[in-house]
Structure formats: structure tokens, C-alpha cells
Amino acid sequence: MAGSQTCRPQTDRRQDGIIMTTYITTPIYYVNALPHLGHAYTTIVTDAYSRFRRLCGDDVRFQTGTDEHGEKIVQAAEAEGVSPREYVDRISRSFREAWPPLSVEPDHFIRTTDPSHIQTVQDILQQVFDQGDIYFSEYSGLYCQGCERFLTEKELIDGNCPDHLKPPKEIAEQNYFFRMSKYQDWLIEHIRKHPEFITPERYRNEVLSFLSEPLEDLCISRPVSRLTWGIPLPFDRNFVTYVWFDALINYLTGIGYPDGPDFEHYWNAAEHVIAKDILKPHAIYWPTMLRAIGVPPYRRLHVHGYWNVDETKMSKSIGNVIQPGNLVEQYGADTVRYFVLREMSFGLDASFSGNAIVERRNSDLANDLGNLFSRALTMIGKYAGNVVPAPAKGLYNDVDRELINALEVMIAQYRLNMNTFNFHRALQEVWRVIGMLNRYIVTNEPWELAKIPDQEKRLLTVLYILAESLRILSLVLRPVMPEAAAKMSLSLGVDFNEATTLDSHGKWGMLQPGTEISPGPQLFPRLDKKKPGDEKNQQPQPGSRMGEKQSGQQEGLIEYGTFQLLDIRVAEVVAAEKIQKSERLLKLTVKAPEERTVVAGIAPYYAPDELIGSQVLMVTNLKPAKLMGVESHGMILAAKEKDSDGNERLVLATVGGRVTPGSKVK
RNA sequence: GGCGAUGUAGCUCAGCUGGUUAGAGCGCACGGCUCAUAUCCGUGGUGUCCGGGGUUCAAGUCCCUGCAUCGCCA
């Protein structure tokens, strides 16, 4: 079990009669790309948690927004031929508009270009500067003019910038630094004393291990000669603020820091949700910044992992980038929310695929929950005239009591797990009860009871128990699947609203006999699985930056004659096997049109069996080379993609339709 | 290179401080029911618990070592 050690009830915050408060945030998303699955996950988690806290009776403030300054934004805007302002307005809007279709309802959407944010950032910088925690110093490093940024040694390949293939220049630059090191000991102590400060524990350990080494001070500026799209430093107009002092402070400005009426009220209850890539800024920079400002640290930081997209199953139906809008269109908001919350152990990585989401939808939502709901309501219709029947007093037997007890246990476990971000466990608990209810129906056979006149009381009792159990299910499912839960309670004639809480409505026996039931349409119709060959839905990617890259590339052009040197042909795979000692390599036998053997480094992305019969593009006039002992006569072409999370994958290049093997590509 | 995490049924994963025949869900096979969304219920099989060594009366669970994957750091 998630158990008593990690799950601590909110006794530290709760005092009888006092309304608890929750302030929960997503990161502000950088507007250099459109929203994708990773953004959607963070935001869904945050929304589900905020709904859960509301269900607990909390006064909740949920904030998300966009991060809009920096060099990359200027570049992106230039590439589109618009001003940075126009550019960020557009992308920010696409974030803001991405959430409502997912039933995500933030209370506030903040933008770092908001005037009030800019003002407060400057006030804070001035304060920290005045107290001596910001100083001017020289910084030297390897600067790539193509990238317009400093590179680390690690990034270099053979001493060159990996993107521009030129050596970076060693340059020195003067900048302002935040005296972060000054607060290192305090931070270590704070993390040690507050086990919940950074969760899950693995990330807390990671931070502590990082802090065991001396902390460097944080560079917080960029000279205006290099960057103008930023917040000017109030004490030196030759510089603008560099990312973190601008971005992190959104958590304060969004609730009216320093003297807004609600600031302290919410800040004392602050919790942040982030993906692991921005752990360090949130776990180290941010608390030390707050310390310097004189604001107490946030309460909890919740760190989640990445979604690995299962290419082989996914790419064909949806395309490369998984856009929240597409997901909602295909599966509906409830299913997407349920899937991501159920499938990922919070903190760990998980994999996403179209098949997985359809399987969850069909087995968990359609078969288990939807069908349970449908069969129960139908029976109440048939045997009780569409009205919640009255249970016979004293007629609860052992099976009934076991079920009711299980529901109570479920609510407690659900609370504990939702509160500690163990959403998948919370949902497991709920589905254990759903399984019990399906068994309960089979055990009691209401359709048999209905045939025996003197069993009517028992029949009505069984039906009442079902209806009341469903009412409780619809209550606990509200944070996860708002639409479906609302439909459920509506069908049961129950009026849940903003004032409804787990305490007020999560008790057995509150469903009033006599309430009219109105079975609606199916909650979750079953979905068909995508067939492997279904490539019709492939659509151009609106977020693609392909165009920019091409137009920007002046150098490195080749003559047509050079291109002609390549002999690219369509090859049909007739056999494929893994090369034993290698993780990456597959040995393929292809027809082009003569048979030949090629070795391709695609084993992580394609199973040998699925390749047989497929047509790929191959460079046929490459010098043979031996790889892991196998001689390769040609090279298979594939697209190499790196998503914003840094995951790489290969997708085989192919032709649009069936072609005679050996056809030349030109 | 340093530190850490992970490696358990076809798939996704549970297995706390070592203790009888190693678990769940999905998938698969067979059987049952008919209230229900071709749904539900029951039964069933498979696992060298990554490899090797060790500690112990006893190890998936502890120690050492190797391999693989991932993360953080340099």
C-alpha cells in the first residue's frame, strides 16, 4: 500500500471549523512551441488535484499561464515575420484555449508579459539588489553565435557546436548574479526537516545529492546587446532579466504579491506541479529566491516524469506530435484524463499509445464502469419503476455490509492517495469497488429475485445498495472525469454542486428513496482499435518548424549533380531479425529488386515481424560496411525526431503507395 | 568518469522491515449467467523474480560482481 508513511492526512493544516486553502500551480509554459501531451498531463494533474481539494471543501486557487520572454521567442517571431508581441499573444492564446476542452478550469491564467507581473519582478529585483544579494561580475564561457547562447563543454561534438558545426568562441561577458550560495545551508536544512517539501522521494534525494556540492551563484541577466525581449533590470537598464527571476516569480504575482488581499491566504498553501526537467529551478533556485525576498517557501513540490510515446503504434494514427486537441477529439476529455491519471505512476515515466488508451477506455470505462452503471439503472427501471427504492430495514446481510465497508475503505484510501498525488492508486481503489459491484449483481441475481414475489424486499434492498454505491462513485470520480461524473449523478437524481464535499456527501445512505432515476445514453461507448494500416488521419503538423529551418539555411547547399550521386530505391523487406549482441541493430533482407542484406539501427523502434512486407527507402550505392559482424549493403532511410522532452525516435521513410521494389527515387 | 534508480508472467506493473505452493490488471483458453455497452461472473496455464557469486535454517527481498536501461552530476 502507499501506506501510512507517505500518506499523511491534512491534520497539520486542518482545524475544525476553519476552511482549508489550496493554491496549486502548473509551471508557466514557454511559448516557443504549441501545447503537447506533456503540458496537458501537468495541467490535467493540477486540475484534478484542484477539483479534489474543492471536493474536500477547500478554498482553491488554481493557476497556470505562459512564459513569454527570451531569445528563442525573438527568433521564432522573426522567423514568422511578426513582432514578439504578436507572436506571444498568438501562442499564449493557443495554450489558454487548449485547456477548457480538457475540462481544465484554471482560476487564473498569468502571462509574464502582464504589466503587473513585470512591475513586481522589477520591485523584487530592486529589493534583492539593495540588500546585496545581487552583484555584478564577469562570466566567461563558450559562446556560439549561431545559437546566440553559451554552450557547455558537454554539448560540444569534436569541439564544435552540434547545430552549427563550428567551434564556439571563448568570450567573457559581464552580468548580474544572485547570491544563491548564501542560502544553500538553509535550503538543505529545510528539505531535511520537511519530507513532503519535494515529492516523490526520488527527486528529493536527487536535490539533496546535488546540494551536497557547493552551489554556484545564479546568473540572472542578459545584456541588451544580445537580448531586448525581457524585463529590464531596474538598477541597470543595459540588462534584462534572464529567465528564472522572471518566470518563477509568476507564482507570487499571480496572487497579488506583495500586498494583494489574498496573497498570504493563498501563498501559505502553495503547491507546485512540475515535470522533472525543471526540478532544479523549482527545488533550488526558487526556494532560495523566496528566502532572499523574505517570503516563506512553498509547501510542496510535486515532480512527475515523462510520457514516452510508443512510436510504432502511435505514429500512424495521430502523427508525430500528440496534441491535446487531437486527443480530446478522438477520445473525449474524460477518457484522456482518466487514462493519463490511471496509467502513470506519478513521478515515474510512462508510455503513451493509441492502443493503450483504447484498451483503458474499453475495459475500465466501458466494460467495468459504464456497463455497471447501465445494468444497475436498467434494473431499477424495470423492477422499481425508475425510482430509488427503499431498502428494507435490518435486511442488510453480510455481503451487503462487506460492500458498504469496502466503499468506506475506498473513500479513505482515495483521499489519502489523491492527496499525495498517487492518482493511479486512488483510481485502482475505486475500480476495486467497481469490480465488487459487478460481482455483487451476479451474486444477488436481481432478475431471479424479481421472479419470486416474497423476495421483493430483498430485491429493493439490493437495488438501493446499487444506486447508493453509484452515487458515491459519481462523487469520487468528479475530480477525474467531471463530465461523466456529472452525468452519473444527474441520472441518479442527485444534485451535486460546488458546495458538495466528501465530508458532506461521502457517507453511506444519503440517497433518498423515492428519488427519480433517469437513465441516460451510454456513459462510455466502446471504441474500435485503430487498425495498423490506417494512415489516413495523418495530418500536417501546425507546430512544425520545418519551414523556418529551410529558409534560414544559406550555407551548405549542394549541386543537383551531387544529389544525383545517390541511388535511392524502394526496397521491400522480406525478412528481418534482431542482431543478437546489439540493442539497436536489425538485420534486414530486402528486395530492391535483387535481394540484399542491410543492417539498420532501428531495433528500439520496430519489431522485426512488423517490418516484413513493408516498403522502405534505401540508399543502394553505399559502400558495404560490417556492423556487429554483419555486412550491410545499403542504408535504410528514416526520419530522426527529437521531441521537446529530448526523446529521440526513428520513423522509417516510405512511399505513399505500393510500388514495384527497386523503383528509383529522385 | 562519479553518484543514484530500475531490471518480476506475452504486455503494464504490485511485492513493507528476508519466511509456507511469487501477485494484480490487460491479453489468451474454457465454462456460466442474461439485468447490461458482444458486456458481467467463474476457472486455467505459463514466470531460470536480468546473469554470476556470497551471507542465512530460509532471499525476488540483504551483500559483492557483471550486463542492460534511465536519471542527476563532471
Side-chain angles (χ1 to χ4, degrees), chain A residues 214-479:
Chain A
L215 209 50
E216 283 182 25
D217 289 341
L218 183 67
C219 179
I220 59 153
S221 68
R222 286 289 181 272
V224 290
S225 57
R226 277 211 288 125
L227 175 69
T228 51
W229 185 245
I231 301 179
L233 294 187
F235 42 83
D236 189 340
R237 296 286 158 161
N238 293 316
F239 292 85
V240 296
T241 313
Y242 178 64
V243 60
W244 298 113
F245 249 78
D246 172 0
L248 290 164
I249 286 172
N250 90 84
Y251 300 132
L252 298 180
T253 55
I255 50 173
Y257 178 84
D259 45 18
D262 293 332
F263 172 70
E264 282 190 18
H265 172 66
Y266 287 121
W267 183 254
N268 290 334
E271 306 185 47
H272 305 307
V273 180
I274 61 165
K276 62 184 179 183
D277 59 333
I278 46 175
L279 174 62
K280 221 197 287 177
H282 282 79
I284 295 173
Y285 306 171
W286 184 223
T288 55
M289 283 166 62
L290 287 165
R291 183 73 175 169
I293 303 167
V295 172
Y298 52 81
R299 270 193 66 231
R300 297 198 292 182
L301 177 66
H302 308 277
V303 188
H304 69 74
Y306 291 153
W307 283 96
N308 297 313
V309 174
D310 186 342
E311 317 76 13
T312 56
K313 291 170 190 160
M314 198 64 207
S315 59
K316 292 173 178 167
S317 55
I318 286 197
N320 296 335
V321 177
I322 297 178
Q323 295 180 4
N326 287 345
L327 290 178
V328 173
E329 209 172 291
Q330 290 196 20
Y331 309 108
D334 282 338
T335 299
V336 174
R337 291 170 64 104
Y338 173 77
F339 175 79
V340 295
L341 292 170
R342 173 64 184 80
E343 196 77 3
M344 180 176 262
S345 299
F346 191 86
L348 303 178
D349 290 358
S351 52
F352 182 95
S353 77
N355 273 347
I357 192 167
V358 171
E359 269 167 27
R360 282 274 173 220
R361 155 74 172 225
N362 285 347
S363 72
D364 295 5
L365 298 181
N367 296 353
D368 293 348
L369 173 61
N371 184 53
L372 167 67
F373 193 73
S374 162
R375 67 199 299 210
L377 288 204
T378 303
M379 285 191 285
I380 294 172
K382 272 191 185 174
Y383 307 135
N386 267 331
V387 162
V388 175
K393 279 175 200 160
L395 265 195
Y396 284 1
N397 62 26
D398 285 350
V399 179
D400 301 344
R401 276 189 289 270
E402 194 190 331
L403 178 63
I404 295 167
N405 183 52
L407 271 154
E408 279 162 1
V409 170
M410 179 273 281
I411 292 176
Q413 288 295 322
Y414 164 87
R415 269 190 131 111
L416 227 48
N417 284 310
M418 289 295 283
N419 195 40
T420 47
F421 278 60
N422 286 302
F423 305 106
H424 69 299
R425 286 188 194 267
L427 289 169
Q428 272 174 21
E429 295 292 331
V430 176
W431 256 258
R432 228 170 34 132
V433 169
I434 290 172
M436 284 184 79
L437 284 163
N438 274 319
R439 281 189 289 280
Y440 180 82
I441 292 176
V442 172
T443 315
N444 285 284
E445 299 183 301
W447 52 92
E448 292 299 326
L449 296 174
K451 293 174 189 163
I452 312 167
D454 69 352
Q455 286 293 323
E456 197 192 349
K457 279 188 178 174
R458 179 60 195 159
L459 172 63
L460 296 182
T461 303
V462 167
L463 295 180
Y464 178 82
I465 287 172
L466 286 174
E468 173 62 349
S469 300
L470 291 175
R471 185 190 66 89
I472 289 176
L473 286 178
S474 78
L475 186 68
V476 298
L477 288 174
R478 292 179 79 204

Side-chain angles (χ1 to χ4, degrees), chain A residues 639-652:
Chain A
K640 180 176 181 178
E641 186 198 52
K642 199 169 190 176
D643 66 22
S644 62
D645 291 335
N647 300 309
E648 257 181 27
R649 66 185 185 116
L650 291 175
V651 179
L652 287 174

Side-chain angles (χ1 to χ4, degrees), chain A residues 198-207 279 347-348:
Chain A
I198 301 166
T199 63
E201 201 179 356
R202 56 193 310 142
Y203 296 107
R204 178 173 183 265
N205 293 339
E206 200 172 300
V207 171
L279 174 62
L348 303 178

Side-chain angles (χ1 to χ4, degrees), chain A residues 2-308:
Chain A
S4 43
Q5 310 158 313
T6 51
C7 305
R8 209 162 278 133
Q10 293 293 293
T11 44
D12 51 329
R13 294 165 61 208
R14 174 195 284 271
Q15 281 173 4
D16 285 352
I18 295 177
I19 292 179
M20 292 185 292
T21 307
T22 292
Y23 173 43
I24 182 84
T25 69
T26 74
I28 47 174
Y29 302 119
Y30 200 43
V31 294
N32 68 339
L34 289 168
H36 62 251
L37 178 63
H39 299 121
Y41 177 70
T42 311
T43 314
I44 289 171
V45 159
T46 310
D47 182 78
Y49 181 72
S50 77
R51 286 174 187 269
F52 165 71
R53 297 300 333 174
R54 286 200 170 96
L55 194 59
C56 293
D58 277 22
D59 171 10
V60 175
R61 169 94 170 183
F62 163 22
Q63 176 172 302
T64 186
T66 43
D67 180 12
E68 306 183 9
H69 290 125
E71 298 153 18
K72 283 186 185 166
I73 304 302
V74 178
Q75 289 165 9
E78 265 170 19
E80 290 190 13
V82 298
S83 69
R85 184 78 226 183
E86 281 174 87
Y87 176 81
V88 297
D89 281 352
R90 182 169 67 78
I91 308 289
S92 179
R93 192 180 326 117
S94 74
F95 274 91
R96 186 195 294 264
E97 289 172 355
W99 308 139
L102 280 163
S103 300
V104 167
E105 295 174 355
D107 297 297
H108 185 54
F109 189 99
I110 190 167
R111 303 180 55 184
T112 54
T113 48
D114 289 339
S116 62
H117 172 78
I118 292 171
Q119 182 60 52
T120 305
V121 166
Q122 290 184 321
D123 291 348
I124 287 174
L125 284 164
Q126 187 69 53
Q127 177 198 338
V128 178
F129 181 72
D130 288 345
Q131 74 195 33
D133 280 344
I134 289 176
Y135 61 91
F136 196 54
S137 177
E138 191 165 278
Y139 173 88
S140 69
L142 302 163
Y143 187 79
C144 171
Q145 275 170 329
C147 302
E148 294 187 39
R149 68 181 184 95
F150 287 97
L151 304 175
T152 62
E153 300 266 355
K154 187 166 116 186
E155 286 176 284
L156 303 183
I157 295 172
D158 297 334
N160 289 330
C161 164
D163 292 332
H164 298 85
L165 306 174
K166 284 186 224 162
K169 268 190 191 163
E170 171 93 31
I171 67 165
E173 185 173 282
Q174 299 208 305
N175 265 311
Y176 286 90
F177 290 82
F178 166 54
R179 234 177 263 287
M180 192 157 70
S181 53
K182 179 175 162 186
Y183 301 101
Q184 176 166 9
D185 292 341
W186 164 81
L187 179 58
I188 293 171
E189 191 61 16
H190 185 80
I191 295 173
R192 290 235 167 91
K193 273 192 195 151
H194 300 85
E196 285 190 332
F197 187 60
I198 301 166
T199 63
E201 201 179 356
R202 56 193 310 142
Y203 296 107
R204 178 173 183 265
N205 293 339
E206 200 172 300
V207 171
L208 281 172
S209 124
F210 182 78
L211 285 171
S212 65
E213 303 285 325
L215 209 50
E216 283 182 25
D217 289 341
L218 183 67
C219 179
I220 59 153
S221 68
R222 286 289 181 272
V224 290
S225 57
R226 277 211 288 125
L227 175 69
T228 51
W229 185 245
I231 301 179
L233 294 187
F235 42 83
D236 189 340
R237 296 286 158 161
N238 293 316
F239 292 85
V240 296
T241 313
Y242 178 64
V243 60
W244 298 113
F245 249 78
D246 172 0
L248 290 164
I249 286 172
N250 90 84
Y251 300 132
L252 298 180
T253 55
I255 50 173
Y257 178 84
D259 45 18
D262 293 332
F263 172 70
E264 282 190 18
H265 172 66
Y266 287 121
W267 183 254
N268 290 334
E271 306 185 47
H272 305 307
V273 180
I274 61 165
K276 62 184 179 183
D277 59 333
I278 46 175
L279 174 62
K280 221 197 287 177
H282 282 79
I284 295 173
Y285 306 171
W286 184 223
T288 55
M289 283 166 62
L290 287 165
R291 183 73 175 169
I293 303 167
V295 172
Y298 52 81
R299 270 193 66 231
R300 297 198 292 182
L301 177 66
H302 308 277
V303 188
H304 69 74
Y306 291 153
W307 283 96
N308 297 313

Side-chain angles (χ1 to χ4, degrees), chain A residues 476-498:
Chain A
V476 298
L477 288 174
R478 292 179 79 204
V480 176
M481 299 188 287
E483 286 174 34
K487 280 187 204 160
M488 286 174 71
S489 52
L490 198 69
S491 289
L492 289 164
V494 176
D495 179 27
F496 287 154
N497 54 44
E498 291 77 37

